[in-house]
Amino acid sequence: DAGVIQSPRHEVTEMGQEVTLRCKPISGHDYLFWYRQTMMRGLELLIYFNNNVPIDDSGMPEDRFSAKMPNASFSTLKIQPSEPRDSAVYFCASRAGSAYGYTFGSGTRLTVV
Amino acid sequence: GQQLNQSPQSMFIQEGEDVSMNCTSSSIFNTWLWYKQDPGEGPVLLIALYKAGELTSNGRLTAQFGITRKDSFLNISASIPSDVGIYFCAGNIQGAQKLVFGQGTRLTINP
């Protein structure tokens, strides 16, 4: 099993640019979660999907953030326009419905300058 | 929302020492999980606890689900250099699908 795959691993972009982060969950996992990690706020849940449907997006900071899951094997998190305060490590995680433990990807380190 | 208080925030120990960290919640949790994060990687699940009072071991790691269902601890015995990293507790309340994470305990080991 390849695990949860995220791309890119690192992204440096200028303020105002659009950023798209990508995630491929583990095959057969029906839950997908997007987290953001910063020193100040730790791990914050942004949004999660069940069977490709967004269930809870209450953690999405503002309208500049959007997430989609067009199929069971792919999800994107988009920030448009990006701001320096969006700099963080963004993690995708997935799990099978019967389990509580998530499997995390290696993350995308986003730097907005 | 639910808050998890994890302590200590950081630990500096000598190789071979035992380590103990804990998490408390203001809410009753249905599940407690412990994760470890290595630099540049995502958190990896170490131990999962599902019942109040449950004590579970994974090698040199031992974790317990508190009787009140509002706390959990993780012990590491005879620490080794590869134990260095950030340890997170996490949990969820009954019926909730999302996990809440503690702030993490950063473990540093002096050889």
Side-chain angles (χ1 to χ4, degrees), chain A residues 9 35 37 56 95 102 106, chain B residues 35 37 40 97-99:
Chain A
R9 286 297 309 270
Y35 278 82
Q37 185 177 36
D56 184 348
R95 73 167 174 87
Y102 303 170
S106 297
Chain B
Y35 284 83
Q37 184 176 24
Q97 298 298 332
K98 56 186 180 182
L99 290 176

Side-chain angles (χ1 to χ4, degrees), chain A residues 4 6 23 25 29-36 44-50 55-56 69 75 90-96 99-105, chain B residues 96-99 101:
Chain A
V4 177
Q6 290 187 247
C23 175
H29 282 193
D30 51 354
Y31 283 87
L32 184 141
F33 303 82
W34 282 100
Y35 278 82
R36 177 171 68 177
E44 301 176 277
L45 178 66
L46 300 177
I47 185 171
Y48 79 91
F49 296 82
N50 178 217
I55 302 299
D56 184 348
M69 192 165 186
S75 177
Y90 291 81
F91 287 105
C92 175
S94 71
R95 73 167 174 87
Y100 283 100
Y102 303 170
T103 300
F104 282 83
Chain B
Q97 298 298 332
K98 56 186 180 182
L99 290 176
F101 282 81

Side-chain angles (χ1 to χ4, degrees), chain A residues 13 15 18 27 42 47 53-55 57 60 62 66 69 77 79 82 88 96 98 100-101 106 109:
Chain A
T13 191
M15 182 174 64
E18 177 179 296
S27 177
I47 185 171
V53 177
I55 302 299
D57 64 354
M60 296 286 261
E62 48 199 271
S66 63
M69 192 165 186
L77 178 68
I79 308 172
S82 57
S98 59
Y100 283 100
S106 297
R109 180 174 294 277

